[in-house]
Amino acid sequence: MIEIIPSIMAHSFEEIKAKITRLDGLVGWVQLDIMDGRFVVPSTWNVAEDLKNIGSDIRIEAHLMMEHPEEVIKDWTEVADRILVHYEAANDLAAIISAISYTPCKFGVVLNLETPVDVLNDYSPNLAYIQLMSIAETGYGGKKLDEKVYQKITTLRNIWPNVRISVDGGVNLDNAPKLIAAGVDHLIIGSAIWESHDIEATIKKFQNLST
């Protein structure tokens, strides 16, 4: 079954809590966009310790859109269920993978739209989860999905048939069926959920696409 994962881009922990509370009982996971204002231009709330007080059973992915993620990985492994690090931002991806392997936290690597999937060839035995960005300007919500991602999904699926693939950026009810057909396992969805008139009904429509 395809996992529907709402993404949350917030400037305060109060907003994080409010949105997670809004999703309680609707989804099993959320993805928090954590931006430092350097790797991507926008900056967001990024205080890992706050999540110790989240008070929700929803599982959390921390999508670190940050320079030098190795410097903050430990903080996030203590509060997130899965951490996603950009290949383009990591100075030593192998060291990050090794460090996370000693924690209960799961790991995924993110590729920007223009980064080819074969950059991960050397890491493939240690990767179970790969997220493909499907917009050119990482860090901005409401952008249109770039159709180049469809071929990228197919290529990745052919190379690593067992890896879990997620797509993030511009996902909506119109393109989600084609993404699923191409081979994705997780749909990361922001604006299509948060800007809808009925959040619960919209989530159910996405969930029904995978049944």
Side-chain angles (χ1 to χ4, degrees):
M1 179 177 289
I2 306 301
E3 187 85 46
I4 302 303
I5 304 179
S7 64
I8 299 176
M9 186 185 302
H11 296 285
S12 70
F13 184 57
E14 288 69 27
E15 186 179 355
I16 295 282
K17 286 195 295 184
K19 287 190 171 181
I20 288 179
T21 297
R22 181 68 183 82
L23 296 169
D24 266 332
L26 301 178
V27 295
W29 286 83
V30 297
Q31 182 173 116
L32 305 183
D33 288 335
I34 315 298
M35 309 180 196
D36 63 0
R38 296 187 300 274
F39 178 67
V40 292
V41 174
S43 61
T44 62
W45 163 89
N46 55 36
V47 184
E49 188 176 1
D50 287 348
L51 291 177
K52 294 178 180 179
N53 303 310
I54 196 63
S56 172
D57 293 329
I58 292 180
R59 304 181 75 183
I60 291 174
E61 290 185 336
H63 177 191
L64 303 185
M65 289 178 265
M66 309 176 75
E67 289 184 348
H68 311 301
E70 59 278 355
E71 296 177 1
V72 297
I73 282 291
K74 184 177 183 298
D75 295 336
W76 293 98
T77 59
E78 295 176 355
V79 295
D81 298 285
R82 181 159 52 221
I83 294 177
L84 309 178
V85 169
H86 276 259
Y87 170 84
E88 301 85 2
N91 290 330
D92 190 341
L93 186 59
I96 293 174
I97 293 171
S98 177
I100 293 180
S101 70
Y102 291 100
T103 76
C105 194
K106 303 300 183 182
F107 176 73
V109 65
V110 185
L111 298 180
N112 282 340
L113 181 65
E114 300 299 336
T115 303
V117 298
D118 59 11
V119 299
L120 299 178
N121 286 346
D122 291 342
Y123 308 99
S124 59
N126 299 306
L127 292 177
Y129 188 101
I130 298 173
Q131 179 164 302
L132 301 177
M133 299 305 298
S134 45
I135 56 175
E137 291 183 281
T138 298
Y140 291 90
K143 298 294 183 179
K144 184 178 179 181
L145 180 139
D146 191 310
E147 294 194 354
K148 286 186 288 189
V149 78
Y150 295 120
Q151 183 57 52
K152 199 170 180 181
I153 295 165
T154 301
T155 300
L156 183 57
R157 179 59 71 208
N158 288 336
I159 296 172
W160 296 307
N162 297 320
V163 75
R164 301 288 292 181
I165 301 173
S166 69
V167 168
D168 180 15
V171 178
N172 58 39
L173 285 165
D174 292 328
N175 56 42
K178 188 172 180 179
L179 291 167
I180 293 169
V184 302
D185 301 289
H186 299 191
L187 295 175
I188 313 302
I189 307 165
S191 299
I193 288 175
W194 298 115
E195 295 179 6
S196 68
H197 296 296
D198 189 330
I199 288 174
E200 181 173 355
T202 299
I203 289 173
K204 287 182 177 178
K205 287 178 182 179
F206 276 108
Q207 291 168 335
N208 288 338
L209 293 174
S210 64
T211 59

